[in-house]
Amino acid sequence: METARDVLTALARRYAFGDLEALITEGTLAADGGSSAVAALCAFGQRVLDLDAEDFGMPEDVGEVPQDLLDRARASRMPQAPRERPRGALASLRPAYALLLEVIAIRWHRRDMAALVAAVHIAGEYLPMLAWEPVLGHAGDPALIGAAVDGEGSRFGVTVEPGSPRMCDHTRPERSACERTLRVAKEPPPGWRAYLDRQHSQVASALGVCAARCRTPCTVVTRLDDLVRAGLAERCRLASDFTDGALVKLRHAAPVGHGFGVPSPEEVQTAWARSRRSLSHHPLGKAALADADDSYPLPGLPALFSAIATADLHPDTLLHDVTKRIMSTLA
């Protein structure tokens, strides 16, 4: 016969942090000093699993989270003030993509396909920024980006006068976001947070256009060394095709907005297979996907992200380690 502790342990193994916290706070676990610790770990784990990046690494109301776990989460946090330190995902997107890979795998094993596709969609939005990171030395931090994209000969964020020839391939929202990113670091925190919520992903898209799609390149890319520019363009083209591919498009497949069409695991696998075939038309994509580890639920996804990042990216173990701490406490 299963005990209450057996049920709680099973929920922990399934990363069912919300359900586990609810049972803990309802008194299923005896108040023996471990309940508050488990509740805090569950609240933290659910926040990370939900990709609530603005609050990564923040204390939980229900109890204290171990500092080492908070510090690991902060590596993927979006700073909520212009001068906040550390810079988290503005310093590097690589920890965030490692975490995304872990979350995608967990969502697959839980059969949470809507959440899986949402995580894939987030990954696609910021892939161009991941490609630019080795060139910029950071992940598009507005406090630092001006040195790389502003100056004489740059059309980055420059307003197009009515009636004048269009010399920049950015859309109007992209131009607006690029103009904002050059000044938002001097704005108060509410303006900074509004920019991150609504425009930072547009800057990522705009940088992808600069590197891979612009028909009249300006000094944003012409100032780069030829080899650096060629590698950047190749990575951004690969990122763009991933974002435009069948897997990410599952996010937009519903007939009435987001959330009304949930794909099945088979549909996700089919869409990823189509995306892989398309991405393999790129030499970089073909090389990355040829030796992909089939043990990952979406085979080749870690290798693809690694190729775009020019770094070896593997799924994080943050949520796995949270589960281990919960089970240890329950025991």
Side-chain angles (χ1 to χ4, degrees):
M1 181 176 179
E2 285 187 327
T3 66
R5 215 170 282 267
D6 291 334
V7 172
L8 298 177
T9 300
L11 288 172
R13 288 197 178 106
R14 279 188 48 78
Y15 302 94
F17 300 117
D19 293 337
L20 181 52
E21 182 186 0
L23 290 174
I24 293 294
T25 54
E26 287 171 5
T28 302
L29 181 66
D32 56 2
S35 57
S36 63
V38 172
L41 286 166
C42 288
F44 172 77
Q46 190 63 50
R47 189 186 301 280
V48 174
L49 186 60
D50 288 341
L51 297 172
D52 184 11
E54 66 181 29
D55 291 326
F56 280 0
M58 300 300 290
E60 299 294 343
D61 293 338
V62 292
E64 187 173 341
V65 179
Q67 189 64 43
D68 63 310
L69 297 178
L70 290 174
D71 289 343
R72 287 171 64 185
R74 286 193 182 106
S76 299
R77 171 180 163 84
M78 277 292 185
Q80 296 301 290
R83 295 180 180 83
E84 182 180 312
R85 294 289 186 276
R87 299 304 275 172
L90 293 179
S92 175
L93 279 169
R94 292 170 183 175
Y97 272 82
L99 181 58
L100 279 166
L101 287 170
E102 184 184 20
V103 168
I104 289 167
I106 289 171
R107 293 300 190 182
W108 173 265
H109 291 301
R110 285 175 52 85
R111 293 299 188 258
D112 293 337
M113 294 300 110
L116 181 150
V117 172
V120 168
H121 184 266
I122 292 171
E125 282 196 316
Y126 289 97
L127 265 187
M129 198 77 85
L130 185 69
W132 267 88
E133 186 176 319
V135 177
L136 295 174
H138 54 84
D141 190 336
L144 303 173
I145 198 171
V149 299
D150 206 1
E152 185 177 356
S154 171
R155 292 189 288 273
F156 189 88
V158 174
T159 302
V160 177
E161 296 296 331
S164 63
R166 182 176 175 179
M167 299 294 290
C168 178
D169 284 331
H170 289 163
T171 63
R172 184 176 296 177
E174 287 170 346
R175 283 198 302 273
S176 176
C178 290
E179 187 274 333
R180 183 85 181 279
T181 199
L182 294 173
R183 58 180 173 83
V184 73
K186 297 179 182 178
E187 294 185 15
W192 170 267
R193 290 191 290 270
Y195 161 81
L196 290 178
D197 287 343
R198 301 169 193 159
Q199 293 183 294
H200 193 56
S201 62
Q202 291 279 357
V203 173
S205 175
L207 286 170
V209 171
C210 291
R213 294 182 174 180
C214 186
R215 293 167 293 182
T216 55
C218 70
T219 55
V220 170
V221 291
T222 59
R223 71 182 76 186
L224 301 175
D225 175 84
D226 288 345
L227 286 176
V228 171
R229 181 177 171 184
L232 174 62
E234 187 176 26
R235 297 196 304 277
C236 283
R237 283 193 293 269
L238 190 59
S240 176
D241 275 11
F242 175 85
T243 302
D244 292 338
L247 182 63
V248 176
K249 284 183 178 177
L250 286 176
R251 177 73 163 138
H252 304 280
V256 186
H258 294 318
F260 286 85
V262 178
S264 67
E266 292 75 23
E267 288 173 318
V268 170
Q269 287 179 321
T270 299
W272 176 232
R274 288 177 56 196
S275 293
R276 284 190 63 166
R277 287 194 294 272
S278 176
L279 294 166
S280 293
H281 293 152
H282 297 263
L284 184 62
K286 183 177 182 180
L289 295 169
D291 299 322
D293 180 5
D294 288 341
S295 65
Y296 191 75
L298 300 180
L301 192 62
L304 183 76
F305 289 170
S306 296
I308 292 170
T310 68
D312 198 9
L313 298 182
H314 297 283
D316 203 344
T317 61
L318 177 57
L319 289 164
H320 175 72
D321 292 341
V322 171
T323 294
K324 286 172 60 178
R325 301 282 181 95
I326 291 172
M327 292 171 64
S328 175
T329 306
L330 290 173

